[in-house]
Amino acid sequence: MILSIFLFTGCSFNQPKIVSSATILIKTPKLKFYDKGFISKFQNFTRVEVFSAGVTVLRLDIYENQICKDTFKCQKSENFNQEFLHSSYEKDFLKKLFEKDEKNIIHKDNQHSILIKIKKD
């Protein structure tokens, strides 16, 4: 009895609160992605997924202090920003950007060659 309760409720704890489909463009010197995807807001983090031909090409789990990318282990947000954006960005920059409630979000930084566009459906 206890095992069945655990099986049925154990998987429900990590369900997203909000899921939005979106067209996502991320263009930086080291990241280049443009396609349809999903932004899922969980209790403790935000997940950004970009798909191409039905295959996940980018998956980021964005927490308060770290970012986990599907191709590497989690790293501090500051280190992620320094490597993929620029060291001048605040540590919670991506989290705030992807959690905005606006339908169309554009971040353009010509000085550092960074363009991020999010168009939620």
Side-chain angles (χ1 to χ4, degrees):
M1 178 75 156
I2 294 174
L3 181 60
S4 63
I5 290 172
F6 176 73
L7 288 175
F8 289 115
T9 60
C11 297
S12 65
F13 290 116
N14 201 19
Q15 297 297 318
K17 293 180 178 183
I18 299 171
V19 178
S20 304
S21 62
T23 302
I24 301 170
L25 167 67
I26 301 174
K27 185 178 177 188
T28 75
K30 290 191 175 182
L31 292 174
K32 290 176 180 34
F33 296 98
Y34 176 65
D35 226 315
K36 291 298 254 181
F38 291 98
I39 302 167
S40 306
K41 294 180 187 177
F42 292 83
Q43 183 174 350
N44 298 326
F45 69 97
T46 299
R47 175 172 290 156
V48 176
E49 295 176 288
V50 179
F51 297 90
S52 180
V55 177
T56 304
V57 293
L58 175 68
R59 179 175 163 182
L60 296 175
D61 289 343
I62 306 168
Y63 296 86
E64 284 295 323
N65 296 314
Q66 67 180 359
I67 297 175
C68 304
K69 189 172 179 288
D70 53 352
T71 56
F72 61 75
K73 293 183 180 182
C74 298
Q75 62 185 152
K76 290 183 178 181
S77 299
E78 296 94 337
N79 295 342
F80 180 90
N81 289 350
Q82 184 174 355
E83 184 175 349
F84 295 103
L85 301 173
H86 191 267
S87 59
S88 64
Y89 283 80
E90 295 179 14
K91 71 177 184 177
D92 59 351
F93 166 75
L94 277 181
K95 185 163 178 59
K96 286 181 179 177
L97 188 74
F98 281 102
E99 288 185 352
K100 286 185 178 181
D101 290 329
E102 301 165 25
K103 289 258 240 196
N104 293 311
I105 300 163
I106 299 173
H107 173 79
K108 189 172 187 175
D109 180 351
N110 290 331
Q111 183 178 2
H112 302 110
S113 301
I114 296 171
L115 177 62
I116 301 174
K117 289 185 180 182
I118 306 161
K119 183 178 180 184
K120 297 180 184 176
D121 299 329

